[in-house]
Amino acid sequence: MRRRLAPYALILPGGLWLAIFFVVPMVVMLSFSLMQGDVVNGFRLTWHWQNYSEGLSTYDSQLIRSLIYGVLATVACIVLAYPVAYWIAFRGGARKTTYLFLILLPFFVSFVLRTFSWKFLLADDGIVLSPLKDIGLLPQDFHVIATGFAVVAGLTYNYLPFMVLPIYVALERVDPKLIEAAQDLYAAPTQAFLRVVFPLSLPGVFAGVLMTFVPVSADYVNSTVLGGTNNTMIGNIIQNLYLVNTDYPQAAALSFTLMAILLIGIFLYAKALGTEDVLEVATR
Amino acid sequence: MTQTEEADSAIGTELAAIELKGIVKTFHSHGDAVAAVKGVDVTIGEGEFFSLLGPSGCGKTTTMRMIAGFDEPTEGDVFLHGKNVVGVPPNKRDVNMVFQSYALFPHMSVLENVAFGLRRKGVAKDEAARRAGEMLEIVDLKGREKRRPRELSGGQQQRVALARALVNRPSALLLDEPLGALDLKLRQAMQVELKRIQREVGITFVYVTHDQNEALTMSDRIAVMNDGRIEQLGSPREIYERPASRFVAGFIGTSNVLSGTVSRTGSGKAIVEPGPGERIMVSHEAVPGDEIELTVRPEKIDVRSDPPDGDGCALRGTVNEVVYLGMFTNYNVTTSTGAEVVVFVQNVSSADDVATRGDSVWLSWDPRHSYVIGA
């Protein structure tokens, strides 16, 4: 009896934690998203589904922008992270741990602080742009801050380690003998990579995409700090609705809309990639 | 004609499958130069089953990796069918390898694994699948085409690895301890199987192993390697019966090494006479007073309680240990010269042992079975 209960006892603390701090707020928020009212007079549950339709029609451009930024930053993360992860996994030698530590080093400084330092670096008259403008390489009115590019670049920078680590873990598990076997079987180095190494690293890419795309699409710090008024993401809207307008029902409805879109997106992505295959390779 | 002579004459009539000339390989680690291969010259004939045999670290795997193209020699040349392939990458060499760990692609089916090389060579998909299927039939894996490698047993994975290499009809197949991960029974079955497949496909096999039984069972010729060099090159029989060095004598099977001073010579024979009635004879050009070392295999020696007749080799000794092994009885004897000698006596009759522990015995053998080391 005791033996059979032991596993449940072990998940109890974590399970309770999740129940109290995740499930309960989710239910509360879900009910909020169907309420009407304001802070002064209180909110009442009226099954007001219009919160969703109004949210979608009012903030559709911010939602779409968030998803586009999310996709762009995630793709940029893959492109930048893959070679780094590959190099550490196959060429890192005895210093692998050092390189991984360096990848994680930015986490020792606050996320918001690092994003502000970007603002300082890339300011119109900052230390990067003003010398280039002075020597005439860039026009005087050139700017980076307050553009969509700055937001995507900031997002890419902030979430890059979350892409490097899972890809590294997947590549690290690829037996170098498999690469030799591919070359022995007449595969040129690029073929060996495309047909053997890359497919075997897909579980890592899959995990990396999950770990970047979701938080990136919901991020509001980067667009607040690096974006201008034209680069608002859905995260900014939700934050504003909660903290400034105190329109909790609308904010909650938008949150759930975003969540639903992300879940559907991930589901389609997993389907397209063939999760079964991915998981099969991952659990090998 | 011995097997070696046959192989040699085969080499004479056409280009050798593989030729290594003055191969040296030095690795650099932490600023130190470590020589893994210190000068190997060998010619491997077309269709030959050739083994590189030696303890770990002797340079056999490095030698094979230089044939495959995974390592480049520091000095010397590698010829495949007369063409120098130094500097040619592995994917452009017409040899294939069976890896010790098999290195099957885990994300591909058995059929895709086997067809991989053909597809890379530009064979059309259907044709590649057809040939892969045929090869899977030869290695007795028909019906497993759609499986993933990890769904197969170790022995089956081994045969997929073999099929994946053989299907390309390489000019030589390199096998790196391919049976090392299998249990004894399966290993013995695969030894016979490998030999059968090699005969069937007629491809040159270069087989790397540290297992002397494996090498003796399957090979046409064996190169015994030690410390980066070939100690002896010859047929299994030559290697076993006439070890060229103390190392080979010790590495291949059980061997007895006797040493002594030559007291008489005559008609090409050197004779050592350690005591009254005792004599060790061996074919060897020597003068009295020479120190010689010779070997004799345990199964060639006879144990008896009285001095042997005739003019064979005879040596007195005391039995240390008698171990009954079923087919054989193993006697451990200390000779009058102080050497430890192992003797295997076949249990032909079910009678008692000829001697027991502590007995004084005579060892005798035919002089043709003793060989001077390094002669």
Side-chain angles (χ1 to χ4, degrees), chain A residues 180 183-184 186 195 280, chain B residues 65 91 96-97 107 150:
Chain A
E180 287 192 348
Q183 289 177 354
D184 187 60
Y186 318 109
R195 305 212 170 256
E280 197 176 350
Chain B
R65 288 176 60 83
N91 53 309
N96 287 120
M97 189 152 157
H107 56 303
R150 67 182 162 77

Side-chain angles (χ1 to χ4, degrees), chain B residues 254-306:
Chain B
T254 313
S255 192
N256 299 305
V257 177
L258 299 168
S259 53
T261 314
V262 176
S263 54
R264 285 191 291 131
T265 57
S267 57
K269 281 196 163 51
I271 300 166
V272 179
E273 290 164 309
E278 294 182 296
R279 64 189 167 272
I280 306 168
M281 271 185 294
V282 61
S283 289
H284 186 54
E285 291 298 335
V287 292
D290 280 359
E291 290 286 337
I292 57 168
E293 255 186 350
L294 55 93
T295 67
V296 55
R297 291 289 178 183
E299 69 278 11
K300 311 290 189 198
I301 304 175
D302 198 19
V303 180
R304 50 204 300 158
S305 46
D306 40 298

Side-chain angles (χ1 to χ4, degrees), chain A residues 175 177-189 191-192 194-197 199-200 277 280-281 283-284, chain B residues 65 68 70 90-91 93-97 99 101 103-108 116-117 120-121 148 150 164 168 170:
Chain A
D175 182 358
K177 291 276 174 217
L178 293 180
I179 305 172
E180 287 192 348
Q183 289 177 354
D184 187 60
L185 294 163
Y186 318 109
Q191 283 288 317
L194 289 175
R195 305 212 170 256
V196 176
V197 180
L200 289 175
D277 269 7
E280 197 176 350
V281 177
T283 54
R284 154 175 65 95
Chain B
R65 288 176 60 83
F70 295 124
N91 53 309
R93 292 192 189 190
D94 187 25
V95 292
N96 287 120
M97 189 152 157
F99 291 80
S101 56
L104 299 176
F105 304 126
H107 56 303
M108 294 180 197
F116 188 91
R120 300 289 83 70
K121 279 203 290 193
R148 290 288 164 108
R150 67 182 162 77
R164 185 177 69 171
N168 307 298

